[in-house]
Amino acid sequence: MEKAGIVGVGQTKYERKKDDTFAELVFEACTGALTDAGVGIEDIDNVITVSNDFWDGRTISSMAIQDAAGSYNKDVSTVEGDGVFGAMYGMMRTLSGSFDTTLVVAHVKGSEGNMNLITNAMFDPIYQRKLGIDATSSAALQARSYMEKTGATEEDFARVSVKNQGNGVNNPYAQIREKISVDDVMKSRKISEPLKLFDCSPITDGAAAIVISNEKGMKRFKKDPVWILGAAHFSDSYTLGYRDLTNSRALEAAAKKAYDMAGITNPLMELDVIELADAYSYMELLWYEGLGLTPKGKGADLIRSGATAMDGELPVNPSGGLLCAHPVLVAGLARIIEATLQIRGEAGDRQVKGANKALAHGINGPCGQAHGVFVLGS
Amino acid sequence: MENNAQKKDEQELLTVSSGEMFQPYDWSVGKFGSKFLHELKENKKLFGSKCPKCGRVFIPPRKVCGQCYVAMDEFVPVSDEGEVYVCAIIQFGFVDPETGKQRPVPYGYAFIKLDGADTCLTHFVDSVDPEKFKVGARVRAVFEEKRKGSLMDIKHFELVD
Ligand SMILES: [Zn+2]
């Protein structure tokens, strides 16, 4: 089968209220990825941009960043969704043979709009939006149903925040770099019970870019690629009331397909590191189950065991994850970048020793409606 | 009779209004936009950015020359006079997003090539006379008395000569 790999990565530092315009952030991420790949824009055959009109505050938001994305005189297309889906599309474009190399870039400035109103607008305007439901209040409902079904506690959720914020200290790109305790989480401001401030990811600005190449395009690059061993995505029902919020079957399906492609039968044993979308602390436990790391309903046992800590058998989110920086849309590409750096052995203080096989995960839609999974390896 | 009964049972098709909802934003304009808007407000001066590779001057200024794919970091002054690159006389009104009031019609709209710039600035022109307001006509910026750091600090352009 034709293969594709990641040959360049670039990201801005993630912060709240960055001064640069989002086009400037896109330029920084793209030129960073090209420099990392050791090529110029002329070596890029096509460009995929990832953006969202509501976050940018303009329609056809992708058009505002075309020069900054280097798409002058190139074929360009756009994904409105998490960066992991942009990477999926970029990969397909190289595997199709239409292009040998793709530059994928995602940007967001969460600080410029109103998070509650923007995420409220993803809901159905006739039956749900008028209730004021948004990303955080719907997450609270999902967290509560997970507690009811599995017996997981608020302290279990807090353990995720403690682990990931502890990891974030080692990530120079992270927005939040501060160690906390379970007690700190429990005492933090109530946002939407059972979720408290430290259970919620921050509002973040930033951009990220990757260069993907098929085998034919590889001769343009000097560095060894990080190969895409498996990739898949699935989506669940849009309407929350139609979905079992405690059963992430879309992730289960995506993971299974990606594992099959990568020849993985026991992910807990065979993967060396995972970067996943912990937009809210409890989500990490739910995604453990969807990723098949633990039986259904046992996500809390895994975090309690320490298996996913930096010194555990399968570190999850060495970067600190979304809890330490949540640039919406960019987050999935950032997970792929982190996984790539891990496999290259270039992850600095957050490096997992000898990481050889990594999984990157991204979500889209309320309460993780859609999931995208990449398995990467050297 | 049967027809009427059918009509009685037929549900009228409804719509649901979004109400007064709106989405507020605070867009950062970066280093380039800040320079442009500051000079406009304080000094009634217009600034563009110059590409170090192709030498073109962009107004409003921005960071990236897409064609050369390089960053610009030189600000250059651009005249407040120029010529109409292309124009239109608009007969339909629109609600001014700044004031919420209907703008009077008709009004002139133009892409204006300012002296010293290689790109066009879009703005109003204070003329709806097709004999005078046409491609190649010379125009000059008219500034608002009270300026607040917005493109609307230019009230409009007026025809010169
Ligand atoms: Zn140029």
Side-chain angles (χ1 to χ4, degrees), chain A residues 107-149:
Chain A
H107 74 269
V108 82
K109 291 197 77 178
S111 68
E112 292 190 342
N114 178 311
M115 185 282 279
N116 303 95
L117 287 175
I118 291 169
T119 63
N120 171 250
M122 75 177 148
F123 289 95
D124 175 88
I126 298 154
Y127 301 109
Q128 290 194 319
R129 205 184 289 181
K130 284 173 196 293
L131 303 166
I133 191 165
D134 65 7
T136 301
S137 49
S138 59
L141 293 167
Q142 187 174 36
R144 179 66 71 192
S145 36
Y146 185 71
M147 291 168 75
E148 291 289 328
K149 185 169 169 186

Side-chain angles (χ1 to χ4, degrees), chain A residues 157-209:
Chain A
F157 301 162
R159 286 183 180 97
V160 173
S161 301
V162 169
K163 170 179 73 70
N164 292 355
Q165 283 209 29
N167 291 349
V169 172
N170 297 322
N171 180 4
Y173 295 94
Q175 175 177 346
I176 296 173
R177 302 181 70 187
E178 204 183 324
K179 260 194 160 58
I180 48 168
S181 67
V182 168
D183 202 43
D184 291 334
V185 183
M186 296 302 288
K187 285 183 177 151
S188 65
R189 183 160 57 89
K190 282 181 176 155
I191 301 289
S192 193
E193 281 195 84
L195 302 178
K196 298 162 291 292
L197 183 66
F198 290 150
D199 289 305
C200 305
S201 54
I203 287 169
T204 305
D205 298 351

Side-chain angles (χ1 to χ4, degrees), chain B residues 51-56 58 65-70 72:
Chain B
C51 174
K53 204 168 166 191
C54 67
R56 287 185 301 160
F58 293 78
C65 173
Q67 199 169 328
C68 302
Y69 206 53
V70 293
M72 296 184 264

Side-chain angles (χ1 to χ4, degrees), chain A residues 39-266:
Chain A
V39 298
I41 194 69
E42 63 280 1
D43 292 304
I44 300 300
D45 296 345
N46 85 113
V47 177
I48 302 294
T49 63
V50 173
S51 63
N52 173 286
D53 295 1
F54 272 72
W55 284 109
D56 280 9
R58 65 191 68 183
T59 52
I60 327 183
S61 54
S62 60
M63 290 296 111
I65 48 125
Q66 291 307 328
D67 21 297
S71 62
Y72 184 85
N73 253 347
K74 293 188 199 304
D75 189 291
V76 63
S77 189
T78 298
V79 167
E80 190 271 327
D82 184 71
V84 85
F85 301 96
M88 206 75 71
Y89 186 20
M91 173 196 73
M92 290 177 199
R93 286 192 136 206
T94 65
L95 290 177
S96 73
S98 298
F99 307 96
D100 292 333
T101 61
T102 309
L103 174 66
V104 184
V105 61
H107 74 269
V108 82
K109 291 197 77 178
S111 68
E112 292 190 342
N114 178 311
M115 185 282 279
N116 303 95
L117 287 175
I118 291 169
T119 63
N120 171 250
M122 75 177 148
F123 289 95
D124 175 88
I126 298 154
Y127 301 109
Q128 290 194 319
R129 205 184 289 181
K130 284 173 196 293
L131 303 166
I133 191 165
D134 65 7
T136 301
S137 49
S138 59
L141 293 167
Q142 187 174 36
R144 179 66 71 192
S145 36
Y146 185 71
M147 291 168 75
E148 291 289 328
K149 185 169 169 186
T150 67
T153 64
E154 290 184 44
E155 283 81 1
D156 291 324
F157 301 162
R159 286 183 180 97
V160 173
S161 301
V162 169
K163 170 179 73 70
N164 292 355
Q165 283 209 29
N167 291 349
V169 172
N170 297 322
N171 180 4
Y173 295 94
Q175 175 177 346
I176 296 173
R177 302 181 70 187
E178 204 183 324
K179 260 194 160 58
I180 48 168
S181 67
V182 168
D183 202 43
D184 291 334
V185 183
M186 296 302 288
K187 285 183 177 151
S188 65
R189 183 160 57 89
K190 282 181 176 155
I191 301 289
S192 193
E193 281 195 84
L195 302 178
K196 298 162 291 292
L197 183 66
F198 290 150
D199 289 305
C200 305
S201 54
I203 287 169
T204 305
D205 298 351
I210 63 172
V211 179
I212 299 173
S213 174
N214 62 18
E215 284 175 289
K216 192 162 149 250
M218 284 299 173
K219 56 180 177 291
R220 301 180 203 178
F221 307 95
K222 286 185 209 87
K223 258 187 211 173
D224 285 337
V226 166
W227 293 104
I228 299 168
L229 306 177
H233 63 108
F234 277 87
S235 179
D236 208 323
S237 166
Y238 170 58
T239 305
L240 290 183
Y242 295 177
R243 215 198 296 168
D244 177 359
L245 292 177
T246 64
N247 180 7
S248 50
R249 54 192 190 134
L251 176 56
E252 219 174 293
K256 188 186 179 311
K257 195 169 172 190
Y259 292 156
D260 285 350
M261 291 167 81
I264 288 175
T265 51
N266 184 341

